[in-house]
């Protein structure tokens, strides 16, 4: 076991040091797909979370419950639903997106959106409780209130986006269904690891796993540095 | 106390560009219920333009509730609030401001907090720049403009909160114990700002526990006890000859039950 890990570390290092073109392609595609999905999810989920935090009305509690429950959506189910939507006989089949990176982005966006929205709602609700009287005293509209809260919570929301990125980059079930794991087209880190494991190339799979963890650490580190700078300035 | 002139506070309706007056503020039969219990009222109260009305009374007497009801942060369970005979609307709300006991400052710089408030009232461009600079000077915070507001001392934070409220040129300013946790020096600075605002024509409604502060600032004292007004008199009369036993006990430093 120890020898396997040592060999995997060595292989991972060799792959990184040699800037292996196949590895580079897979890493870049993984990042492109997951960062796109997180960006799209944030575009939808942050205003949604803010709206749920600020507004009161019938059905809001049910919506919050639904959102919280959606955080645990099984990736394979999401993959299957997106597959049915995008398949030739599905309602969006004419777009021809199945087995493309776009399909993978859609699937990951569906998975990440509830996570970002639910966590953002909680953060913004806490901040809203603190700001509420001041903002109402200023006569802010709900939209202006949401804008203020989203801006002032931006460093905490970065961490939320990071949680979404973690979910997206580590996801395999949905992207393998809608992407098909096609070499040079839809193959990403996680699907490659799954493939190499099934082929019995455990060393290579482990090496890719280590690189995936390294990637996640790097993105985490970058966001934490940004958040720390915000905290240091007492804006967060 | 040296005179402090506020550069942008103007008198009454002039501040609103000649708009219809919003004062006097008259509350009739005002009441507030919470948890199935009456917490305030019914009470009748009139705030005259240009006056400094101080709400006093022991804890739980309903001072802060009254302030929030008048400012529109809470909706009354019963009664009516009329602004120069009209019900409150958005235009009237935009001619008021409030300062809270614990300053609610945004996670922004000092000038970021001022800019946000001014933008919320539609003040942009050169007018915003001028008011921002004036507010910083007024609060003696010009040297801290780019500092995070929440890193200021308690007194500086409250000065910023008062300056932010005054930069909106409110015709009426509500203050809920703005100096409750401040030292005498900071209290003096806040009172100086309030005196200057009053001299500029701003109507002041202040909640305080401090009889000394009420003596210094009040034209009229409203004394509340258990959610009711027990006394509403000119300040001099209140301090010389308080009519109610509750006010007599309060001013004598005795415990008011």
């Amino acid at each position: 076991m120890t020898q396997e890990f040592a060999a995997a570390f060595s292989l991972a290092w060799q792959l990184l040091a040699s800037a292996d073109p196949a590895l580079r392609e897979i890493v870049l595609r993984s990042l492109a797909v997951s960062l796109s999905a997180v960006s799209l999810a944030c575009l939808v989920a942050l205003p949604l979370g803010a709206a749920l935090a600020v507004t009161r009305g019938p059905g809001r509690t049910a919506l919050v419950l639904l959102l919280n429950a959606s955080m645990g959506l099984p990736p394979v189910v999401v993959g299957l639903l997106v597959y049915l939507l995008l398949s030739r006989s599905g309602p969006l089949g004419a777009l021809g997106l199945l087995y493309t990176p776009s399909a993978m982005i859609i699937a990951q966006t569906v998975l990440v959106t509830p996570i970002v929205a639910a966590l953002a709602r909680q953060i913004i609700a806490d901040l809203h409780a603190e700001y509420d009287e001041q903002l109402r005293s200023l006569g802010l509209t709900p939209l202006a209130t949401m804008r203020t809260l989203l801006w002032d919570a931006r460093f905490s929301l970065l961490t939320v986006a990071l949680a979404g990125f973690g979910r997206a980059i580590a996801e395999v079930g949905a992207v393998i269904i809608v992407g098909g794991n096609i070499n040079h087209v839809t193959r990403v880190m996680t699907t490659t690891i799954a493939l190499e494991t099934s082929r019995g190339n455990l060393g290579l799979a482990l090496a890719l796993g280590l690189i995936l963890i390294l990637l996640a650490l790097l993105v985490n580190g970058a966001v934490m540095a940004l958040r720390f700078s915000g905290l240091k300035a007492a804006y967060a | 106390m040296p005179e402090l002139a506020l550069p942008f506070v103007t008198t009454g309706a002039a501040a609103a560009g000649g708009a219809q007056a919003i004062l006097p503020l008259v509350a009739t039969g005002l009441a507030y219920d919470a948890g199935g219990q009456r917490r305030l009222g019914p009470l009748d109260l009139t705030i005259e333009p240009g006056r400094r009305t101080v709400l006093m009374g022991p804890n739980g007497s309903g001072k802060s509730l009254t302030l929030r009801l008048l400012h529109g942060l809470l909706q009354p369970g019963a009664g009516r609030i009329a602004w120069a005979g009209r019900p409150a609307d958005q235009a009237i709300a935009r001619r008021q401001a409030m300062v809270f006991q614990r300053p609610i400052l945004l996670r922004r710089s000092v000038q970021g907090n001022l800019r946000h408030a001014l933008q919320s009232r539609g003040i942009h461009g050169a007018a915003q720049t001028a008011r921002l600079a004036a507010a910083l000077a007024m609060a003696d915070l010009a040297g801290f403009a780019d500092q995070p507001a929440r890193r200021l001392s308690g007194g500086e934070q409250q000065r910023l909160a008062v300056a932010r409220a005054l930069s909106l040129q409110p015709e009426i300013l509500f203050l809920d114990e703005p100096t409750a946790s401040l030292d005498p020096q900071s209290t003096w600075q806040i009172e100086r700002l309030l005196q200057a605002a009053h001299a500029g024509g701003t109507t002041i409604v202040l909640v305080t526990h401090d009889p000394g502060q009420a003596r210094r600032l009040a034209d009229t004292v409203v004394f509340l006890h258990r959610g009711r007004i027990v006394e509403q008199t000119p300040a001099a009369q209140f301090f010389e000859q308080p009519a109610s036993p509750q006010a007599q006990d309060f001013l004598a430093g005795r415990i008011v039950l």
Side-chain angles (χ1 to χ4, degrees):
Chain A
M1 188 70 179
T2 313
Q3 278 181 336
E4 280 176 5
F5 267 107
F9 270 114
S10 170
L11 185 57
W13 172 247
Q14 281 171 26
L15 287 169
L16 285 171
S18 65
D20 183 81
L23 175 72
R24 198 169 57 213
E25 183 194 317
I26 291 171
V27 167
L28 289 177
R29 187 176 300 113
S30 297
L31 284 174
V33 167
S34 294
L35 288 174
S36 301
V38 171
S39 303
L40 284 173
C42 285
L43 278 177
V44 176
L46 294 181
L48 176 64
L52 286 171
V54 168
T55 55
R56 296 284 175 273
R60 181 186 158 277
T61 307
L63 207 56
V64 170
L65 269 173
L66 185 70
L67 199 62
N68 288 341
S70 304
M71 288 172 75
L73 277 176
V76 285
V77 176
V78 170
L80 183 60
L81 291 174
V82 175
Y83 178 89
L84 292 172
L85 274 176
L86 300 180
S87 65
R88 195 172 291 177
S89 56
L92 301 177
L95 297 175
L97 293 177
L98 198 61
Y99 303 133
T100 67
S102 298
M104 297 156 77
I105 291 170
I106 292 170
Q108 287 194 354
T109 303
V110 173
L111 277 171
V112 168
T113 298
I115 296 173
V116 175
L119 296 178
R121 188 203 67 79
Q122 190 56 57
I123 285 170
I124 293 169
D126 291 345
L127 190 60
H128 187 225
E130 186 186 327
Y131 282 7
D132 182 43
E133 285 198 315
Q134 177 63 35
L135 299 185
R136 284 197 293 129
S137 175
L138 287 171
L140 259 61
T141 62
L143 199 63
T145 299
M146 282 165 53
R147 269 205 307 269
T148 300
L149 293 169
L150 280 169
W151 178 253
D152 279 31
R154 61 196 181 280
F155 292 110
S156 299
L157 293 175
L158 264 178
T159 310
V160 171
L162 193 62
F165 175 76
R167 167 79 158 175
I169 195 84
E171 198 284 314
V172 60
V175 291
I176 211 162
I177 292 174
V178 301
N181 200 17
I182 303 166
N183 202 13
H184 302 302
V185 181
T186 57
R187 188 159 294 174
V188 290
M189 296 288 290
T190 51
T191 57
T192 310
I193 291 168
L195 178 70
E196 296 304 333
T197 304
S198 67
R199 283 176 174 170
N201 295 330
L202 297 182
L204 181 58
L206 203 53
L208 290 170
L210 289 171
I211 293 168
L212 184 61
I213 291 168
L214 183 67
L215 265 180
L217 280 173
L218 282 174
V219 174
N220 264 278
V223 173
M224 276 182 72
L226 200 59
R227 183 170 155 71
F228 179 72
S229 68
L231 281 169
K232 204 173 169 188
Y235 290 125
Chain B
M1 181 182 290
E3 194 174 322
L4 175 72
L6 302 189
F8 47 67
V9 176
T10 53
T11 306
Q20 199 177 353
I22 61 169
L23 296 168
L25 165 61
V26 180
T28 314
L30 195 65
Y32 184 79
D33 302 320
Q37 284 197 322
R38 176 132 300 182
R39 298 280 304 277
L40 184 82
L43 55 84
D44 298 328
L45 177 64
T46 299
I47 307 291
E48 297 289 351
R51 304 280 292 175
R52 293 166 299 178
T53 304
V54 171
L55 306 184
M56 295 182 77
N59 283 333
S61 59
K63 307 180 296 294
S64 297
L65 264 181
T66 306
L67 211 62
R68 280 166 171 75
L69 286 165
L70 295 176
H71 186 43
L73 292 179
L74 291 174
Q75 292 307 308
R80 180 171 174 269
I81 296 171
W83 295 83
R86 292 172 289 143
D89 57 25
Q90 205 176 356
I92 289 173
R94 291 170 78 86
R95 289 159 73 179
Q96 313 167 32
M98 182 156 172
V99 175
F100 300 91
Q101 180 176 346
R102 187 176 151 270
I104 304 173
L105 298 175
L106 308 188
R107 288 165 163 78
R108 301 181 186 201
S109 66
V110 168
Q111 62 175 329
N113 271 272
L114 293 167
R115 189 173 291 115
H116 176 268
L118 292 167
Q119 281 170 347
S120 75
R121 296 284 171 96
I123 299 155
H124 303 280
Q128 184 189 99
T129 307
R131 287 206 202 183
L132 202 149
L136 286 171
M138 179 209 309
D140 200 16
L141 291 172
F144 299 91
D146 296 319
Q147 294 293 311
R150 294 152 78 100
R151 283 237 179 129
L152 299 175
S153 71
E156 289 164 344
Q157 288 194 20
Q158 196 60 288
R159 286 211 308 276
L160 173 59
V162 173
R164 178 176 62 183
L166 290 176
S167 73
L168 304 174
Q169 297 187 357
E171 284 166 70
I172 180 164
L173 176 62
F174 297 98
L175 302 110
D176 188 6
E177 299 191 55
T179 60
S181 53
L182 302 185
D183 63 21
Q185 168 73 14
S186 298
T187 299
W188 174 78
Q189 288 175 309
I190 298 290
E191 288 183 9
R192 195 161 161 254
L193 287 172
L194 298 184
Q195 296 283 28
H198 172 249
T202 304
T203 302
I204 307 275
V205 184
L206 169 76
V207 167
T208 184
H209 273 293
D210 178 0
Q213 184 170 64
R215 277 179 198 273
R216 291 190 294 273
L217 294 179
D219 295 318
T220 301
V221 173
V222 177
F223 192 85
L224 289 112
H225 183 246
R226 295 184 178 174
R228 300 288 189 101
I229 294 175
V230 293
E231 205 156 336
Q232 184 172 354
T233 53
Q237 186 183 329
F238 177 82
F239 288 110
E240 281 169 24
Q241 289 181 309
S244 64
Q246 295 92 345
Q248 287 166 11
D249 286 347
F250 186 83
L251 290 176
R254 291 189 287 269
I255 292 169
V256 183
L257 298 173

